[in-house]
Amino acid sequence: MRTTARPTLGYNNIEKGNISRLVGFQFNENCHLHDYFHLDPIVNLNDKELYVHFPEFYPTEHLLLPKNCRHILIQIEVFGFLFRRRSYFRHGIHEIEIDIPREGITVEEQTVVFDAPSEPYDTLLVALTILYLDGNGPRSFLYNNKNLHPAAIIGGFNYK
């Protein structure tokens, strides 16, 4: 990621770049999130909180589901990066559980809220992953595999 039009050797680093360029990055080239999740969550950050807002949606219309899938988990994870220390930390995780109902049932609009980090992170990234299950319970079968595992970056912020 370029930080200037004329980079100076030894002075370029990712923390000076525009990290929001990573929004939309797909972690699985075989399974893009936008092919399976036809909804755009809105991600915002202020001094106190990071918000991930989901509008009302119809699971049977806005999700591409594998055969026999009866339950999904939408995982939202927030990661903080400290590039000079070459480290990252999972700042938070939240799961939204959805039973796949008959057609016509909606999932109400909701906002997931994370406290803004007090740590001096250089960058915050927000990732979304969908897990497909045959039911809700300890004996549920997970359908995800290397060809079915949508995951992407949905938010990116230079934090300092």
Side-chain angles (χ1 to χ4, degrees), residues 1 21 48 104-105 109 124 133 142 149 156:
M1 180 180 312
R21 292 178 185 168
K48 298 181 181 180
I105 305 295
E109 123 178 70
L124 291 176
L133 303 156
L142 179 67
H149 196 94

Side-chain angles (χ1 to χ4, degrees), residues 22-40:
L22 291 177
V23 173
F25 175 81
Q26 304 294 318
F27 289 105
N28 186 344
E29 68 182 32
N30 299 319
C31 184
H32 286 210
L33 179 67
H34 299 298
D35 292 338
Y36 288 82
F37 189 58
H38 304 282
L39 196 68
D40 291 319

Side-chain angles (χ1 to χ4, degrees), residues 35-52:
D35 292 338
Y36 288 82
F37 189 58
H38 304 282
L39 196 68
D40 291 319
I42 298 167
V43 183
N44 287 311
L45 174 68
N46 64 31
D47 292 340
K48 298 181 181 180
E49 297 172 316
L50 185 143
Y51 301 89
V52 181

Side-chain angles (χ1 to χ4, degrees), residues 57 69 101 118 155 160:
F57 67 96
C69 178
S118 57
K160 278 187 173 178

